[in-house]
Amino acid sequence: MAAAIHLGYLPPRVGTEEELRILRRQFLPFVQGLKSAVAVGILHHMGEGKKGEDVFILATGKKTDLLLKTLTNILPLLGEDPLHYHFINCQTYMIQKAQTDLDPCGWYNQIGQMVRQVQKGL
Amino acid sequence: MKVIYHCYGRAHSSVVASSLHLGKLPMEGKVRAELIMALPEFDLAQAEDWGEPYFMGRDEAANEVYILGLNSLAPVCVKAILSLAGQLGQADQILLINTLPEIGLVTRVGGFISKKLGWPRIGKPLAAQGIIHALPRLRKLVRTVKKEIIRKVQDGEEKDYHHYRW
């Protein structure tokens, strides 16, 4: 969903639950998530953002931090600068935020807020 | 090409496999436990080193050889690394080898005693003893890896040749 917002398939913010329900019924790429366990660990290219950035999604399973640390450390071996990559752990962000927000659409708007922060940092 | 030997904690089996690959340990004949324990990286890495490739050296064909600890996440991490390499068009430039299946219970118990319980004086020699038993399998693995590297290089040269020809 974060990637869908990042690429503009979905708005960064919704006002009501009804609006959110309608949006979620649309057949947008990957909005329903990756269903198969086979997809864990495979990078899926979603598209290109407004600044030309490539957007990927990655199902990590357990111990996300170790996986992201490994990928970051592998980048120089592949001739890439880790500073050009942003690995965003959506789950950590959501858990931190969920404890403070009581808005029924809050979880969605928090993803939107996270995406905006990522986009600003590009 | 980057050759990465990976295991649970990059302290035992990957260290020995990479040392065999680099000629720091012999590919034939008996090896004493003291020689295994004298390897600088043997039984050294800690949990905070997991996920960080450690450069061990270059082999005779100038391939870079690394070791990497992936805890219990090897299946997912290897898929993710290869997936990333594929996205960057470099899937043929990286070789990941799991050394963990080649070692037995003795090395695992030794590693557990040394790393989890924090008793290296007992765990390290036990792990080294286990490695000696596993050495034929580790040597076989390294031989297979070297063959695979040659095959990959030849494949790459053939691709370059066809590209040049047409």
Side-chain angles (χ1 to χ4, degrees):
Chain A
M1 196 161 268
I5 295 171
H6 189 118
L7 294 168
Y9 291 120
L10 294 170
R13 185 167 182 84
V14 292
T16 63
E17 272 189 275
E18 179 63 12
E19 197 181 329
L20 178 58
R21 199 172 56 80
I22 291 167
L23 282 171
R24 291 196 75 191
R25 279 206 308 241
Q26 308 310 307
F27 298 109
L28 297 172
F30 291 100
V31 165
Q32 304 307 320
L34 297 169
K35 296 289 183 189
S36 167
V38 179
V40 175
I42 307 283
L43 279 164
H44 293 270
H45 188 247
M46 293 288 290
E48 202 173 280
K50 283 178 183 168
K51 291 180 182 170
E53 72 277 18
D54 286 309
V55 178
F56 295 85
I57 56 172
L58 173 66
T60 59
K62 293 173 186 172
K63 297 181 186 171
T64 303
D65 290 345
L66 178 59
L67 176 59
L68 298 186
K69 180 186 173 188
T70 305
L71 286 180
T72 306
N73 286 321
I74 286 290
L75 282 167
L77 270 64
L78 298 169
E80 295 291 310
D81 184 349
L83 294 174
H84 294 160
Y85 290 80
H86 297 265
F87 292 103
I88 315 298
N89 185 349
C90 299
Q91 208 175 8
T92 306
Y93 190 91
M94 291 304 295
I95 290 165
Q96 284 170 355
K97 284 282 183 182
Q99 292 163 354
T100 57
D101 204 329
L102 297 171
D103 175 4
C105 301
W107 65 272
Y108 180 90
N109 290 335
Q110 280 155 12
I111 296 175
Q113 193 186 348
M114 178 191 74
V115 170
R116 279 202 299 268
Q117 279 178 11
V118 170
Q119 286 171 324
K120 275 183 195 170
L122 293 175
Chain B
M1 184 178 292
K2 272 75 173 173
V3 182
I4 304 174
Y5 289 96
H6 66 88
C7 61
Y8 188 90
R10 77 130 155 105
H12 303 106
S13 60
S14 60
V15 173
V16 173
S18 61
S19 297
L20 287 165
H21 187 117
L22 293 167
K24 293 174 184 173
L25 285 175
M27 287 296 281
E28 303 287 341
K30 283 189 178 178
V31 172
R32 290 172 60 197
E34 288 78 12
L35 190 61
I36 305 278
M37 288 197 288
L39 293 169
E41 290 303 316
F42 189 77
D43 200 51
L44 189 70
Q46 302 293 335
E48 56 265 27
D49 299 318
W50 295 345
E52 288 179 13
Y54 181 85
F55 180 64
M56 290 290 282
R58 283 180 187 271
D59 68 7
E60 62 278 9
N63 298 301
E64 293 174 17
V65 179
Y66 295 84
I67 52 173
L68 177 64
L70 294 174
N71 188 237
S72 56
L73 287 192
V76 177
C77 282
V78 169
K79 263 200 287 181
I81 292 167
L82 293 177
S83 175
L84 178 65
Q87 293 283 351
L88 295 168
Q90 297 211 42
D92 60 344
Q93 287 302 307
I94 196 160
L95 199 57
L96 286 138
I97 306 106
N98 187 6
T99 57
L100 206 54
E102 310 309 325
I103 57 157
L105 191 63
V106 179
T107 307
R108 288 166 202 255
V109 171
F112 179 82
I113 292 170
S114 176
K115 294 290 153 194
K116 289 274 183 188
L117 303 181
W119 298 336
R121 283 192 180 188
I122 301 168
K124 189 175 175 179
L126 194 61
Q129 208 57 50
I131 287 290
I132 287 169
H133 289 299
L135 214 49
R137 289 196 300 276
L138 286 166
R139 282 170 169 165
K140 195 175 172 185
L141 177 74
V142 171
R143 281 191 201 100
T144 309
V145 168
K146 290 198 171 187
K147 274 185 196 166
E148 178 63 11
I149 292 170
I150 292 167
R151 189 193 65 76
K152 280 202 168 207
V153 171
Q154 282 172 349
D155 275 3
E157 281 170 359
E158 272 176 34
K159 270 183 205 165
D160 289 346
Y161 173 72
H162 286 298
H163 183 71
Y164 171 74
R165 231 177 121 191
W166 301 108

